[in-house]
Amino acid sequence: MLSTQLKPLKEDVLSQFDALGDEHIGTSYDTPLREDAFDLDDDIKIEQIAHHFKHIMDILGLDLTDDSLRGTPQRVAKMYVKEIFKGLNPANKPDMKLFDNKYQYNQMLVEKNITLYSNCEHHFVPIIGKAHVAYISNGKVIGLSKLNRIVQYYAQRPQVQERLTMQIANELKQALGTEDVAVVIDATHLCVSSRGIKDVQSSTVTAEYGGKFLDIDTRNEFLKHIG
């Protein structure tokens, strides 16, 4: 009797999860993390993820004695912790060393077409695209490669694109000590193109503007540079 009562409830909950995922809803500006997220070191996380991923593969009916599949759980676990989700750990945040703007360059600096790889937090499948960032110096400048690294740091975690755009922009504002920052991301979501609607033509564009970039002429100049 109990199992028959629980089944409709479980199906209803699953349908709610599906609806949330397909509607691309994000719940917070900060990446949702538990307070104990970093109590385990990376080696233990890799060991435990490998164990559970092996169980997932087993449930799917894959033969884990096959030479091609035997090492997959460990490879996936290491990839999760050390690569595609390494941005979850604040210890991996790039060093944001600034330099004096000795050239007195006071126009916008634009770094465009930054390659972006992230993962949708609803289905854990890739988000692939380009990020374009710009800022106007208030006396300090940052190394160009650091702009790329900031994008990569926040992309290397389960994400929604809106949150990713704001996190990059706010990090640059804080690091540079200026509101004069712009970020545009144009990306393809495999949760849209490889499953569900399976639309391989569409992409998603998000933008965050601050300070002088709220002025329409300044914004249009930036958009002209990245167009």
Side-chain angles (χ1 to χ4, degrees), residues 23-221:
E23 290 299 323
H24 195 67
I25 292 173
T27 57
S28 63
Y29 164 75
D30 293 319
T31 302
L33 284 169
R34 299 195 319 270
E35 290 184 1
D36 64 349
F38 307 108
D39 286 357
L40 301 179
D41 66 30
D42 285 356
D43 289 340
I44 294 176
K45 287 185 177 182
I46 290 170
E47 179 183 347
Q48 293 190 3
I49 292 171
H51 170 77
H52 291 293
F53 198 81
K54 181 179 180 179
H55 189 51
I56 291 171
M57 294 176 67
D58 188 55
I59 291 171
L60 290 172
L62 295 169
D63 181 4
L64 287 161
T65 67
D66 184 269
D67 288 343
S68 180
L69 298 177
R70 187 179 294 117
T72 297
Q74 183 74 13
R75 285 190 292 266
V76 170
K78 185 177 180 181
M79 175 185 67
Y80 275 6
V81 175
K82 296 293 189 179
E83 297 180 76
I84 64 175
F85 297 136
K86 66 181 293 186
L88 287 171
N89 192 337
N92 295 322
K93 188 175 179 178
D95 180 24
M96 305 289 286
K97 185 176 180 180
L98 300 180
F99 304 91
D100 291 332
N101 184 9
K102 294 181 179 179
Y103 294 109
Q104 298 300 307
Y105 180 75
N106 59 4
Q107 302 299 312
M108 72 176 68
L109 184 146
V110 181
E111 183 86 357
K112 67 177 185 177
N113 295 326
I114 299 172
T115 301
L116 183 147
Y117 290 100
S118 190
N119 280 267
C120 166
E121 70 180 32
H122 299 134
H123 295 95
F124 271 47
V125 292
I127 300 170
I128 303 170
K130 299 288 185 182
H132 315 284
V133 303
Y135 73 92
I136 299 172
S137 173
N138 72 341
K140 295 290 184 179
V141 295
I142 191 171
L144 293 179
S145 67
K146 288 299 190 291
L147 299 175
N148 300 62
R149 293 184 187 279
I150 293 167
V151 171
Q152 291 173 355
Y153 171 70
Y154 284 103
Q156 289 172 327
R157 55 180 70 181
Q159 278 288 15
V160 293
Q161 188 171 324
E162 299 92 331
R163 179 199 294 139
L164 174 59
T165 307
M166 292 187 292
Q167 286 178 335
I168 294 169
N170 287 343
E171 182 64 38
L172 287 172
K173 290 177 184 179
Q174 183 175 0
L176 291 162
T178 178
E179 290 292 311
D180 302 333
V181 168
V183 177
V184 169
I185 293 176
D186 185 350
T188 298
H189 294 242
L190 265 66
C191 60
V192 174
S193 61
S194 68
R195 59 161 299 281
I197 192 64
K198 294 185 177 180
D199 183 348
V200 299
Q201 299 297 324
S202 65
S203 67
T204 300
V205 179
T206 49
E208 180 75 7
Y209 302 109
K212 294 177 181 177
F213 287 94
L214 295 173
D215 176 77
I216 190 65
D217 292 334
T218 305
R219 187 188 310 176
N220 284 340
E221 179 185 348

